[in-house]
Amino acid sequence: MAVRRALHFVFKVGDRAQTAKFYRDVLGMKVLRHEEFEEGCKATCNGPYDGKWSKTMVGFGPEDDHFVTELTYNYGVGEYQLGNDFLGLTLQSSQAVSNAKHQGWPLTKVGEALYLTHAPGGYPFYLMDEEQPPNDPVQKVCLAVSDLQRSTHYWATLLGMKVMERNEEKKTVLMGFADTQCKLELHDIGGAVDHGTAFGRMAFSCPREQLPDLEALMKRENQKILTPLVSLDTPGKATVEVVILADPDGHEICFVGDEAFRQLSKLDPKGNDLLDKAMAEDKSNEWFAKHNRQKAAA
């Protein structure tokens, strides 16, 4: 399954300006592309919302060989309820640690050369105080599971990930499709996984021809398919095909056809300006204030 690759994790954001500050000024990521949509995604990429929304991809380098984050912003939603499902994204960058200290962004030392911080909305990020590697600084995404053996079977046997490390004491399993990619860490929390309304989604690519077989496998195994194979359009860009799955704990997983996705995800040199323009033109905060109302809390 080495031809499969980890792409990104999707975060819902309520405060786009503060979120942009965190990713650009603290972590040191770049805006890779920004897209605006007038109505909700057919594959619920922006969550269960029908209105206007935006997608901003940020990372340390091109999506072809970097694991990035997808920031989805629903214009009418100001905040989301966190669950216990997302346990952290770990990246290696002493520069990010330095940036956080310089910006006054809260940091908590949790280990040898390891700091915990939080993105707006409360999402935990772990910063390794080590020189940024020449390849991708993003090391792993950690998700909570209720039954480690069951989840390992799902991700390894059904989705084809390779188990790279087991820690019986910490009740974790580290896995991935390749050593050079961002890893997935599963952590058994010994109880139910609550996704709240802030639930995210992890995306992977595979050759387009594998998508129908993947969907058929999940049907045979009686696993949950949230969105059967569907085509998604982005104005002015490539159309991609996706299948959206859910693992035994309800973590959403998107598999997208690699060939079209590489076209869709090409670096847009105007991405940063498009985000700034969209934020400047977003008068939703002023509208809600003028009408003495608050944005919805999902």
Side-chain angles (χ1 to χ4, degrees), residues 42-53:
K42 287 191 293 185
T44 63
C45 303
N46 62 314
Y49 308 99
D50 293 330
K52 184 177 179 180
W53 66 289

Side-chain angles (χ1 to χ4, degrees), residues 231-252:
S231 295
L232 301 180
D233 297 322
T234 297
K237 296 188 178 182
T239 295
V240 298
E241 292 178 273
V242 304
V243 172
I244 313 295
L245 311 173
D247 81 349
D249 286 296
H251 289 290
E252 294 194 0

